[in-house]
Amino acid sequence: MFRGLWKKSSHQSSVVMAAAAAASGLTLSTSSGVIVKEKESSVMNTTTTTMCHHQESGDGSHDITQSKAKTLLQQIQDIAHKVNSIEQTIGTLQQSKETMARNESYVKTSTTASSSSSASGIDVVLGGQWGDEGKGKLVDILSQEYDVCARVAGGSNAGHTIVVQGKKYKFHLLPSGVLNKDATCVIGNGVVIHLPSFLNELDNLETMGVDYKGRVLVSDRAHMVFDFHQEVDGLSEKKLGRNKIGTTKKGIGPAYASKISRNGIRIGDLQNWEYFEQRFRSLATVTMHAHPGLDIDIEEQLEYYKSIADRVNSMTVDTIQYTNEAYLSGKKILVEGANATMLDIDFGTYPYVTSSNPSVGSVLTGLGVSPNKLSGIYGTVKAYCTRVGEGPFPTEMVPDGPNSIGYHLGTVGAEYGTTTGRQRRCGWLDIPQMKYSCLINGFTALNLTKLDVLTGLKEIKIGVAYKYKGEYLKSMPACLKSLSEAEVEYETMPGWTEDISSCKKFEDLPENAQKYVLRVQELLEVPIRWIGVGPNRLDQIDRGEGWDLKK
């Protein structure tokens, strides 16, 4: 732990470290035979008092009292400070300013991680609700300061719409950070890729004047979605009838099923055509046997994939190595989450979920990085709530007329899916659901979007608690029957009528809008840093980096 922090002779190190250990109440044995042992050993959970004669004072001694139990890291920091003091007194080492700065830097980076976008590290933007929260808009703005933008989970079932200078860009597989001409875009190993859709998305970007060449990298470990996966997705949904899941029919679930069944095909397999052909024939045959009536033209499909192999191979790399090397070289990395926490296969409203983990854990497994590389974790949440597809929705407001809340939210908010075009279900902001999402992801700051959609409402409600059979629920119930039968307890706040789309600072917002934001922040106990006030790219208030728990 101390190697590299202080350079001195082995005997001097032993004396100094032993003295410092004594001052901190630790037992330390050294190679030179100097042993310091606390009389009443109790490092973690008892109060200790130790005498250390290392500095001249009025009576020639100095008392150090440790009144509370300390963590091991705090004790190490104590030792670091005491070593410096001892060394200055006994003359064993005169540290240079450079060495002291390095030691101070070590202590700081050991205790906290900076959330600043100006620091190297991996920042993450995730959806906190049921998706469609507006993650892409924040990513688009933030990505201008990042070197690498990445997708780590899901597939073309995700959708982001970005409006730049009147041009509307729709993203499904690509990170929206591709609009930053200086950023490299990575599609990680956790993503499942329908190559025809992916190449079409690239072609559309090129048509709109976006030069992506040399800036888009695809993981050789990412799995493929084939046309027959999409057909299977539709067939499976049809068989469920009234119990349908509400899938996008993009083949995501069947592709992940092939992956888990260990007969899936990865992007890197295209680099060896004979191997790819063998695996494709096997997978197609197995799939047709499992789904009678499904017809796959194997030869036609193979011809198509052979025609695009060179283009795909030119973008295929080991993104695990690339991302980690980028991190170690000090590059700033931004991960763009897809879908949202309440659609997580493990944490969401199962079975009405997606087939991947769009919560924070997917960053590690879908990009191949370790947890200590993560810095800011930014949760995106609408000022109200929406979801697409089936499943319980506690705060839903049915659009039963032009004067209804549900109609207002859906119409003013233009709530139609980017990927499917389906109308989204709308309702009030759900605090129990968001607390659950904050708990899972550990958000360091929130991005509150579409506050402008609430403009014009006389009253605004916030769902603050669930009650089931007369008792308050402490968390999101796993049983969907319980969730669908839960009653929501609301707080009512006054609305506002002023146009907020030109607001650039929090103080510019109407008083009631400010009160709403602050109340949400208070209930969630996570700072709200960004506030969306309109549909355009720059219609957003940024309260600054100080509004981040890690700052």
Side-chain angles (χ1 to χ4, degrees):
M1 194 99 184
F2 297 96
R3 192 172 357 182
L5 292 181
W6 300 280
K7 295 180 181 179
K8 53 177 75 69
S9 70
S10 59
H11 179 72
Q12 289 173 329
S13 297
S14 300
V15 172
V16 172
M17 293 301 293
S24 294
L26 295 176
T27 299
L28 182 67
S29 176
T30 70
S31 58
S32 61
V34 179
I35 300 177
V36 178
K37 186 172 183 180
E38 183 183 25
K39 290 184 179 179
E40 295 180 11
S41 178
S42 180
V43 173
M44 294 304 294
N45 52 18
T46 62
T47 301
T48 62
T49 301
T50 307
M51 300 294 293
C52 178
H53 303 278
H54 71 275
Q55 186 175 9
E56 290 294 327
S57 62
D59 60 356
S61 65
H62 180 64
D63 292 343
I64 298 176
T65 303
Q66 181 174 309
S67 60
K68 289 185 177 180
K70 294 185 178 181
T71 65
L72 180 58
L73 184 57
Q74 288 172 319
Q75 293 181 63
I76 290 171
Q77 292 173 11
D78 285 347
I79 291 175
H81 289 303
K82 286 161 185 155
V83 164
N84 286 335
S85 178
I86 293 168
E87 288 173 338
Q88 290 171 8
T89 301
I90 66 176
T92 58
L93 178 68
Q94 293 296 320
Q95 287 184 312
S96 66
K97 290 183 179 180
E98 180 182 350
T99 305
M100 292 177 70
R102 185 166 62 250
N103 291 351
E104 183 66 21
S105 174
Y106 172 81
V107 172
K108 285 182 178 178
T109 55
S110 297
T111 56
T112 185
S114 171
S115 62
S116 170
S117 60
S118 62
S120 61
I122 301 176
D123 291 336
V124 187
V125 176
L126 298 172
Q129 296 164 308
W130 276 278
D132 308 306
E133 301 93 347
K135 300 178 290 292
K137 182 177 177 180
L138 178 62
V139 169
D140 175 47
I141 294 171
L142 292 180
S143 65
Q144 305 307 308
E145 300 179 5
Y146 286 79
D147 304 298
V148 179
C149 296
R151 274 280 308 274
V152 297
S156 56
N157 58 333
H160 301 307
T161 301
I162 306 294
V163 180
V164 182
Q165 297 179 344
K167 285 186 177 181
K168 186 177 287 187
Y169 299 88
K170 293 187 176 182
F171 297 95
H172 300 279
L173 276 163
L174 282 169
S176 51
V178 73
L179 296 179
N180 173 11
K181 61 182 179 61
D182 296 319
T184 299
C185 293
V186 170
I187 299 180
N189 58 275
V191 180
V192 289
I193 304 173
H194 183 241
L195 285 175
S197 299
F198 172 63
L199 297 178
N200 183 59
E201 196 170 329
L202 289 174
D203 292 340
N204 288 340
L205 278 178
E206 191 170 28
T207 300
M208 297 182 76
V210 178
D211 183 11
Y212 69 86
K213 292 180 180 177
R215 298 194 297 112
V216 175
L217 305 178
V218 183
S219 172
D220 52 4
R221 291 174 170 84
H223 277 249
M224 292 190 194
V225 179
F226 294 103
D227 289 348
F228 58 77
H229 282 134
Q230 297 185 339
E231 291 184 59
V232 169
D233 206 357
L235 291 172
S236 300
E237 186 78 344
K238 187 176 181 179
K239 288 179 182 179
L240 290 172
R242 61 188 299 177
N243 296 316
K244 63 181 180 178
I245 300 298
T247 173
T248 58
K249 301 177 184 177
K250 296 294 182 180
I252 308 304
Y256 276 116
S258 292
K259 177 179 180 178
I260 299 303
S261 298
R262 296 182 294 279
N263 61 4
I265 300 176
R266 304 198 287 186
I267 295 292
D269 294 341
L270 265 179
Q271 295 174 334
N272 185 320
W273 178 253
E274 289 184 4
Y275 181 68
F276 174 84
E277 180 180 354
Q278 172 196 337
R279 290 192 61 79
F280 183 86
R281 290 184 183 279
S282 174
L283 176 59
T285 301
V286 168
T287 304
M288 285 189 287
H289 286 163
H291 300 275
L294 177 66
D295 183 30
I296 302 173
D297 190 331
I298 295 178
E299 302 306 322
E300 181 183 49
Q301 287 288 293
L302 285 172
E303 183 179 352
Y304 169 76
Y305 282 98
K306 192 165 190 176
S307 72
I308 66 169
D310 287 344
R311 185 181 180 187
V312 175
N313 290 340
S314 68
M315 295 181 276
T316 303
V317 301
D318 181 348
T319 57
I320 298 172
Q321 181 182 19
Y322 174 85
T323 306
N324 281 280
E325 287 181 351
Y327 172 85
L328 291 173
S329 67
K331 290 186 176 179
K332 294 173 290 184
I333 302 169
L334 183 66
V335 173
E336 177 177 349
N339 306 122
T341 302
M342 297 312 298
L343 295 176
D344 190 288
I345 188 71
D346 289 304
F347 304 122
T349 48
Y350 186 90
Y352 302 102
V353 293
T354 190
S355 302
S356 60
N357 293 104
S359 52
V360 71
S362 65
V363 180
L364 313 182
T365 58
L367 196 57
V369 297
S370 56
N372 62 338
K373 293 183 174 69
L374 300 189
S375 184
I377 304 173
Y378 306 134
T380 304
V381 51
K382 280 177 181 169
Y384 49 102
C385 193
T386 64
R387 81 168 296 174
V388 171
E390 310 302 316
F393 186 3
T395 62
E396 183 174 12
M397 303 299 293
V398 178
D400 52 4
N403 296 321
S404 67
I405 298 299
Y407 182 86
H408 173 96
L409 296 175
T411 304
V412 178
E415 295 296 353
Y416 297 90
T418 301
T419 299
T420 63
R422 290 182 294 179
Q423 185 174 0
R424 297 171 186 145
R425 300 154 64 190
C426 301
W428 296 118
L429 182 61
D430 187 332
I431 295 298
Q433 174 270 309
M434 272 304 302
K435 282 186 174 180
Y436 176 70
S437 184
C438 292
L439 180 69
I440 290 168
N441 294 293
F443 296 136
T444 61
L446 293 177
N447 169 33
L448 186 71
T449 65
K450 290 196 167 185
L451 183 66
D452 55 297
V453 175
L454 300 181
T455 299
L457 294 176
K458 185 177 180 180
E459 293 182 338
I460 301 170
K461 292 186 176 182
I462 306 174
V464 295
Y466 294 160
K467 290 181 76 173
Y468 180 65
K469 293 184 177 180
E471 295 186 2
Y472 286 105
L473 298 177
K474 294 182 179 180
S475 183
M476 291 290 292
C479 175
L480 296 197
K481 188 172 187 301
S482 300
L483 183 59
S484 62
E485 294 177 359
E487 299 177 17
V488 181
E489 188 171 284
Y490 290 95
E491 278 187 13
T492 301
M493 301 190 69
W496 60 90
T497 58
E498 300 92 331
D499 178 16
I500 66 172
S501 61
S502 60
C503 295
K504 299 302 179 186
K505 297 185 296 183
F506 181 73
E507 294 75 17
D508 295 338
L509 292 172
E511 182 181 357
N512 287 345
Q514 291 185 37
K515 287 180 178 179
Y516 180 79
V517 172
L518 293 175
R519 181 56 179 152
V520 173
Q521 180 174 267
E522 180 184 20
L523 289 167
L524 295 179
E525 300 181 279
V526 179
I528 293 175
R529 175 175 170 181
W530 298 275
I531 303 167
V533 295
N536 295 316
R537 189 187 199 192
L538 299 179
D539 293 343
Q540 183 163 266
I541 295 170
D542 183 355
R543 301 170 79 188
E545 291 175 350
W547 291 90
D548 192 309
L549 290 180
K550 287 197 173 185
K551 191 64 180 160

